Amino acid sequence: MNHPGPPRFVAVGDAVQLAPRDPDPEATYRWTVADAPAASEATVGDDPVEELVPDVPGTYTVTLETPVEESLTVRAFPADRRPTGEGSGPSRTSGESGYSGYSGQSGSARPSRSGGVSGSGSGSGSGEGALGESGEDRGGRPRIRLDARVTDDEVVVEATPSPHPDSETDAADLGVEFLLDDRDGVSRGEATVDDRELRLPLDAVSDRVRVHAVAVDASYSVPDAVGVDRVGGGSFSVRRLNDPPEWATDVTLYEVYVRGYASDDDDAETTFEALEKRLDYLDELGVDCLWLTPVLQHDGKPHGYNIVDFFSIADDLGDREEYESFVDAAHERGMSVLFDLVLNHSARDHPHFRSAYENPESPYRDWYEWQASGEPGTYFDWELIANFDFTTLEVRRHLLDAVGTWAEVADGFRCDMAWAVPRSFWKELRDRLKEADPEFLLLDETIPYIADFHGGMFDVHFDTTLYFTLRQIGNGHEPAGSILDAVEGRTRSGFPDHAAFMLYLENHDETRYVVECGDDAAKAAAGALFTLPGIPMLYGGQELGQRGTRDALAWDHARDDVRSQYDDLIALKEAHPTLGPSGDLERIDYEVDSNDVVAFAREGGGNRYVVLLNFGGEPATVGVDETVDATDLVSGESRAAESGLTVGDVAVFEAEG
């Protein structure tokens, strides 16, 4: 499995990290630029992990001798086609950029920005001249969706491109470029491309064919991909490769801070036993999926993100058998479990780092990044962690083995500091996991979010834009209507329509929303989680009115009014799926004498709802240009008023006619 993976989509000047997959640290690997545009002078070095920086537009082929020769296609667009703006930035290979000076806790990262765009593309017959070395700025990044079907004698892949919302380009005028996956042994010459369709004879497909494509306008899209597999007896299966697992888009997610959530249980022999005893509570709450903060051996800091052994459960929590018992018990209640995967760094207390520190002769010296000062590479001046060097094959081998170990006992990974790990590694990790289990979930933490991380890396993304917007609204710095801009920001950033997002108000790194913004805003923000498109996430204790971020949960001081509202909202989500990820979000006309109030509609599946959110301290009356049943679906009470509908914090109404 040394093949370097799917074709890449980049702009001239962006670096593509080249790395053998499933690496053997004792093997010899050699990269060569086998084909490039005539004017290119691009080369690669002699190390097992290298980078290619295309210097002119066109298609490049690099080969990897393992000693078997494998080929990788890289399509380079002109530099002025590089996607820019929110969700994009310069492409990097070994993580993103080294932000320092942040005074937060060691653990999950909260960078002021992280970014990078690494696209991928192919020549589909339009040629370099069709793209141009410069072009009119007709808006932002387009989007694309691929669908495939199998006829009696061929595979047909159809592309549906969409322009950026601000683009003046018609969808019919967008370019589309296809690439076949080099791993499948299907020759480009066997395919026929006609505008939006790629056709391939069935007899050209040995076991599998994967097709990748981008839409092209003023810039190029996040790539999409489809796979067609021969399943025997002349039958084929078709799968969209970048869709999130269906189960994951319909859950209520709940973060458990493992060392505080059940620390009041003096009778349990281990933390996992205490957590397992809380599962009935979570089941009754209506939670479908649990995210556990790290459970591996650590340096003693209670958050657990400073890991000293990537293969062992932390002694202070229990052992692997007890962890698996917890997972099994969650499964028995219909809950999935996400394992918090930390790959960017180890603790400085890790034995490999202790060996390498101030010791150039250590066999682990090359495992870490080093500054000129002799200190390890890190982020935000964190003093207790050290960044891994992913150009070292031993590091990649070690972490891939750890990934395989814990994927066996989890339903998905929440990937810590995803922005700081090379994309080539995430692409390999995804392919390995999805090959074994297509339903395995990958959730990224990137701040701010990065649209290209949906291109063959992750299924679900932290909606950091909505998170920060809800904080701004709660603090009175933005009007409530800004939440609609935030949700639309996903498309404006270039995320494809099939990308999924996790909605949250707080987590173990953040001040509790109710502490920062107060009760009134917190109740409206809770309503936003369950009425906007996305996957709602609660941080343990949020439903109790908990005020401490990483404190033991104050179960004896739980606020009944907060819990009652979350009960109502979770029940609302279960009863009306249109309010979830599948329903469309629509702006509507409304009148209200307050910037603290917003109204919008959700529509889908033959249903339409009007949602009112009020972040202010006083009830408001809202006039909407819709005919609705005045019974609030959250409270069950009528909200009819002489001049409209009343809302205290959140109200949802079914549209009539």
Side-chain angles (χ1 to χ4, degrees):
M1 191 186 168
N2 290 140
H3 194 287
R8 304 292 199 270
F9 310 76
V10 299
V12 167
D14 285 347
V16 179
Q17 188 178 72
L18 306 171
R21 294 189 167 195
D22 198 22
D24 176 359
E26 303 301 319
T28 299
Y29 300 99
R30 178 178 173 80
W31 293 97
T32 304
V33 179
D35 191 21
S40 174
E41 298 180 358
T43 61
V44 292
D46 297 325
D47 291 328
V49 179
E50 281 291 348
E51 63 179 36
L52 170 72
V53 182
D55 53 352
V56 296
T59 301
Y60 296 72
T61 302
V62 291
T63 58
L64 172 65
E65 296 177 18
T66 67
V68 176
E69 189 174 283
E70 306 281 7
S71 295
L72 173 71
T73 300
V74 177
R75 178 66 168 99
F77 291 89
D80 62 359
R81 298 277 175 167
R82 176 183 293 111
T84 59
E86 184 180 4
S88 302
S91 178
R92 301 178 187 272
T93 57
S94 182
E96 295 302 326
S97 60
Y99 302 100
S100 297
Y102 176 69
S103 59
Q105 305 94 339
S106 295
S108 293
R110 294 166 45 194
S112 58
R113 67 170 278 131
S114 66
V117 59
S118 157
S120 171
S122 79
S124 67
S126 59
E128 296 167 29
L131 294 177
E133 186 57 49
S134 64
E136 177 187 357
D137 184 3
R138 294 165 287 170
R141 196 170 193 184
R143 291 159 290 133
I144 195 169
R145 176 187 172 94
L146 293 186
D147 291 282
R149 66 183 189 274
V150 178
T151 69
D152 291 340
D153 56 0
E154 63 183 356
V155 173
V156 181
V157 178
E158 182 176 0
T160 305
S162 302
H164 186 274
D166 296 334
S167 175
E168 296 179 1
T169 305
D170 290 333
D173 295 328
L174 292 171
V176 173
E177 298 215 3
F178 293 93
L179 271 186
L180 297 175
D181 201 302
D182 301 288
R183 294 172 290 181
D184 301 331
V186 180
S187 167
R188 173 74 187 183
E190 296 177 284
T192 301
V193 175
D194 180 14
D195 191 22
R196 306 299 173 80
E197 286 188 346
L198 179 146
R199 294 175 176 269
L200 188 70
L202 289 183
D203 58 13
V205 181
S206 175
D207 297 314
R208 167 186 297 175
V209 63
R210 284 161 284 192
V211 179
H212 308 255
V214 291
V216 183
D217 190 15
S219 61
Y220 58 93
S221 70
V222 173
D224 198 17
V226 292
V228 178
D229 292 84
R230 203 179 272 275
V231 295
S235 298
F236 293 82
S237 66
V238 176
R239 187 161 64 91
R240 286 182 33 77
L241 300 179
N242 293 332
D243 280 356
E246 187 173 353
W247 69 264
T249 63
D250 193 33
V251 298
T252 296
L253 181 58
Y254 192 96
E255 181 190 0
V256 175
Y257 187 70
V258 295
R259 291 175 178 84
Y261 192 76
S263 58
D264 62 323
D265 189 339
D266 296 327
D267 297 326
E269 294 186 8
T270 69
T271 297
F272 285 126
E273 180 185 343
L275 292 174
E276 189 171 329
K277 290 162 66 176
R278 297 288 188 195
L279 288 175
D280 286 339
Y281 164 81
L282 293 167
D283 188 26
E284 189 269 337
L285 178 63
V287 168
D288 308 288
C289 185
L290 305 176
W291 153 25
L292 303 184
T293 53
V295 298
L296 298 182
Q297 289 283 21
H298 59 101
D299 65 355
K301 297 299 178 183
H303 52 70
Y305 286 90
N306 305 343
I307 294 172
V308 300
D309 185 345
F310 285 83
F311 294 88
S312 298
I313 295 292
D315 292 336
D316 64 320
L317 300 180
D319 57 25
R320 174 160 176 156
E321 182 178 354
E322 288 157 335
Y323 166 74
E324 291 190 32
S325 173
F326 171 84
V327 173
D328 290 342
H331 287 170
E332 290 171 2
R333 293 164 175 80
M335 300 179 195
S336 304
V337 177
L338 302 186
F339 184 98
D340 206 325
L341 187 67
V342 183
L343 297 181
N344 170 70
H345 57 265
S346 78
R348 298 197 194 192
D349 278 349
H350 193 291
H352 293 355
F353 180 80
R354 292 203 305 266
S355 169
Y357 187 59
E358 297 183 337
N359 179 15
E361 304 304 317
S362 168
Y364 302 107
R365 183 72 180 181
D366 291 341
W367 280 50
Y368 294 92
E369 297 176 353
W370 298 99
Q371 303 178 56
S373 65
E375 292 301 307
T378 187
Y379 294 99
F380 318 118
D381 292 334
W382 285 339
E383 298 178 350
L384 301 177
I385 61 174
N387 291 350
F388 283 124
D389 185 342
F390 280 82
T391 67
T392 299
L393 290 185
E394 287 85 353
V395 168
R396 301 176 86 102
R397 177 76 272 155
H398 186 80
L399 296 177
L400 286 171
D401 290 345
V403 165
T405 296
W406 301 114
E408 296 175 355
V409 286
D411 301 292
F413 289 140
R414 176 270 183 186
C415 298
D416 184 63
M417 292 179 69
W419 51 271
V421 173
R423 298 176 187 189
S424 67
F425 193 84
W426 289 130
K427 287 177 181 290
E428 177 177 3
L429 182 149
R430 180 185 181 87
D431 281 352
R432 291 168 67 95
L433 294 173
K434 296 291 187 176
E435 187 71 24
D437 180 8
E439 296 300 301
F440 198 88
L441 176 66
L442 291 168
L443 165 66
D444 69 353
E445 180 205 33
T446 62
I447 306 174
Y449 52 37
I450 302 171
D452 277 282
F453 275 35
H454 203 82
M457 288 181 274
F458 294 96
D459 299 308
V460 180
H461 315 274
F462 277 45
D463 194 334
T464 53
T465 298
L466 181 62
Y467 164 81
F468 285 114
T469 300
L470 286 168
R471 291 272 170 158
Q472 289 291 93
I473 294 170
N475 283 308
H477 300 320
E478 290 190 24
S482 297
I483 62 170
L484 304 181
D485 299 329
V487 173
E488 291 172 356
R490 304 168 185 172
T491 299
R492 294 182 180 278
S493 298
F495 280 99
D497 294 339
H498 48 270
F501 293 85
M502 186 194 80
L503 315 184
Y504 65 109
L505 302 181
E506 57 199 43
N507 58 36
H508 64 275
D509 277 332
E510 312 293 351
T511 303
R512 295 280 186 174
Y513 191 96
V514 68
V515 171
E516 181 175 333
C517 303
D519 277 359
D520 297 318
K523 290 179 179 179
L529 294 186
F530 288 88
T531 58
L532 290 171
I535 301 163
M537 189 277 280
L538 308 183
Y539 176 43
Q542 182 175 329
E543 79 284 5
L544 305 176
Q546 178 86 4
R547 299 181 67 82
T549 300
R550 298 185 179 182
D551 303 348
L553 288 200
W555 294 98
D556 293 337
H557 300 282
R559 292 178 50 183
D560 292 340
D561 61 324
V562 177
R563 171 58 195 271
S564 177
Q565 187 199 25
Y566 277 102
D567 285 341
D568 291 342
L569 291 172
I570 293 173
L572 176 77
K573 171 181 174 288
E574 293 176 350
H576 304 283
T578 301
L579 297 172
S582 61
D584 292 331
L585 175 68
E586 183 181 325
R587 291 178 183 263
I588 62 173
D589 293 329
Y590 63 95
E591 294 182 359
V592 64
D593 188 22
S594 172
N595 283 333
D596 295 326
V597 179
V598 62
F600 55 91
R602 301 297 311 280
E603 186 166 10
N607 300 303
R608 183 176 176 85
Y609 303 93
V610 171
V611 179
L612 308 181
L613 299 176
N614 178 10
F615 291 81
E618 299 295 331
T621 300
V622 185
V624 297
D625 190 18
E626 300 261 347
T627 301
V628 302
D629 182 334
T631 302
D632 174 20
L633 297 177
V634 181
S635 66
E637 301 175 359
S638 174
R639 299 298 186 193
E642 184 176 347
S643 57
L645 301 164
T646 61
V647 56
D649 40 66
V650 55
V652 179
F653 306 94
E654 189 167 7
E656 296 181 339

